[in-house]
Amino acid sequence: MLNQKQKVFITRKIPDAGIKLLKQAGFQVSVSQVDGVIPRDELLKKVKGVDAILALLTDKMDGELMDAAGKQLEVIANYAVGTDNINLEDAAQRNITITNTPGVLTEAVAELAFALMISVARRIPESDQFTRKGKYKGWAPMMMLGSELHHKILGILGLGRIGSAVAERAFFGFKMKIIYYDVKRNEEFEQKFQAEYRGLPGLLRDADFISIHVPLIPETKHLIGKNEFKIMKKTAYLVNTSRGPVIDEAALVEALKKNRIAGAGLDVYENEPKLTPGLKDLSNVVLTPHTGSATIETRATMSELAAKNIVEVLNGRPALTPVKKP
Ligand code: DGY
């Protein structure tokens, strides 16, 4: 039986779809009124006594927070596919269900990864600035020369849903050759996209474009650093729409400055929202503010999915998209 008094706290304003769904389900819903990331001390107070938290990737969900909520806390629904903001071990110990939003943001993030590849290789932000500033004085044969994607080699680092969606666009749309690295091989993927598996050094050595799609876990922190940039082609472009700390950002700035690689497209940062000094001054990098899933359609669907997970769990049913315990 649904307990009408069950409480849900949403840590920041999200699209209405999910909020509406939670209210219709009969829960007492409150949404943080803070214009920005809710400060930790306020978050600890606000979660007291709630049965469910709808959290964002900017909210740290650890044992302290779970204990501050209290023993009635049943579920934390993350409004993201990544769950590196959540201590899954702490949640497992307290029997709290964790859910995320896989699948619904795949196409949006894959589109942004592709947009970053095209933007940096064809120098779109640079060209835009050039044109706006009145520097375009007429067509010129050597002006703003960039690189093509067509028929180049794309290295997918981390073959989950998003990595596969990027490969699909590359293979069918741009006739790119696909190589990939993951902890396990996927023969179905290899057949579908005539893709080849490589070890990490092999992928770094052979790829013209590298797109990162691994989760942030201890094993993937600084997966790409000084040594890896040495292996990459000087003409290679690196794109990251996963999590910032996967790249050693200081090493990236150095590699871009010294033209050890041709360029980078970043949607995520090592110390988000801060940028490593020097990064924003480089013309061979394109920067977006963690907007991989930021489309009207996707953010609404994420809102709905996070809410539905809460509805299921608080009604004693299994979550739709639970995150596995470590
Ligand atoms: C996620 O869902 O993990 C993305 O980073 C959000 O854009």
Side-chain angles (χ1 to χ4, degrees):
M1 265 299 277
L2 175 67
N3 176 352
Q4 296 292 319
K5 290 199 178 102
Q6 281 174 305
K7 292 180 187 149
V8 180
F9 180 62
I10 304 178
T11 63
R12 193 165 177 174
K13 173 92 181 83
I14 57 168
D16 285 336
I19 304 176
K20 214 168 130 191
L21 215 140
L22 289 166
K23 285 182 178 162
Q24 277 168 356
F27 303 125
Q28 186 182 319
V29 183
S30 62
V31 183
S32 168
Q33 297 303 309
V34 176
D35 184 19
V37 177
I38 183 167
R40 178 77 178 178
D41 53 346
E42 195 166 338
L43 179 61
L44 290 173
K45 280 186 217 148
K46 288 282 185 190
V47 296
K48 197 172 166 22
V50 304
D51 302 278
I53 302 171
L54 198 157
L56 310 187
L57 56 86
T58 42
D59 306 315
K60 187 171 160 198
M61 295 282 134
D62 57 4
E64 184 196 24
L65 181 288
M66 295 165 196
D67 292 342
K71 286 200 175 2
Q72 76 298 326
L73 179 66
E74 282 189 57
V75 54
I76 298 175
N78 217 31
Y79 185 74
V81 67
T83 51
D84 46 286
N85 59 311
I86 302 177
N87 188 322
L88 299 177
E89 197 66 65
D90 286 355
Q93 278 167 12
R94 290 160 179 79
N95 225 359
I96 296 167
T97 302
I98 303 298
T99 68
N100 64 346
T101 58
V104 295
L105 47 74
T106 302
E107 308 303 329
V109 180
E111 282 181 10
L112 191 84
F114 233 89
L116 286 171
M117 274 194 260
I118 298 173
S119 292
V120 66
R122 295 303 304 271
R123 305 171 63 178
I124 292 175
E126 215 185 326
S127 298
D128 175 85
Q129 284 302 311
F130 180 86
T131 312
R132 280 172 203 270
K133 285 180 181 159
K135 293 183 183 169
Y136 176 45
K137 302 293 181 202
W139 188 89
M142 305 300 281
M143 185 172 65
M144 287 290 166
L145 301 186
S147 286
E148 279 168 34
L149 278 73
H150 185 254
H151 274 159
K152 296 277 172 64
I153 301 175
L154 171 65
I156 301 279
L157 198 44
L159 192 70
R161 293 181 184 83
I162 301 172
S164 304
V166 172
E168 187 178 7
R169 284 156 177 78
F171 181 72
F172 292 114
F174 290 78
K175 312 263 184 296
M176 293 176 93
K177 169 157 186 58
I178 311 294
I179 59 177
Y180 75 104
Y181 169 65
D182 198 287
V183 283
K184 54 179 193 285
R185 276 183 73 162
N186 180 335
E187 280 164 23
E188 198 186 321
F189 172 82
E190 287 175 25
Q191 275 172 16
K192 196 166 169 196
F193 299 110
Q194 296 165 25
E196 286 176 24
Y197 183 80
R198 295 273 197 285
L200 180 59
L203 179 134
L204 296 169
R205 186 191 59 228
D206 294 344
D208 298 305
F209 290 83
I210 296 171
S211 193
I212 302 180
H213 302 288
V214 292
L216 177 61
I217 49 174
E219 294 77 8
T220 59
K221 179 156 190 229
H222 285 190
L223 188 64
I224 305 295
K226 196 173 171 195
N227 293 332
E228 287 67 33
F229 290 119
K230 280 187 195 154
I231 307 174
M232 288 169 66
K233 292 179 185 176
K234 281 194 145 199
T235 50
Y237 294 93
L238 179 66
V239 165
N240 189 11
T241 51
S242 65
R243 285 294 180 267
V246 174
I247 298 178
D248 176 345
E249 212 165 271
L252 173 65
V253 169
E254 204 54 21
L256 290 169
K257 259 189 198 159
K258 298 193 166 147
N259 294 314
R260 285 214 192 96
I261 62 169
L266 305 177
D267 186 46
V268 288
Y269 305 91
E270 189 166 352
N271 299 300
E272 222 163 299
K274 289 191 189 121
L275 303 182
T276 294
L279 191 62
K280 69 176 173 50
D281 306 318
L282 298 165
S283 60
N284 53 352
V285 62
V286 177
L287 309 171
T288 51
H290 203 151
T291 45
S293 64
T295 66
I296 294 161
E297 302 91 328
T298 289
R299 288 283 164 88
T301 325
M302 285 167 69
S303 171
E304 259 172 23
L305 180 54
K308 279 182 186 164
N309 271 310
I310 291 175
V311 173
E312 292 307 294
V313 176
L314 293 190
N315 279 295
R317 296 187 291 264
L320 299 175
T321 51
V323 175
K324 280 189 210 120
K325 290 174 187 158

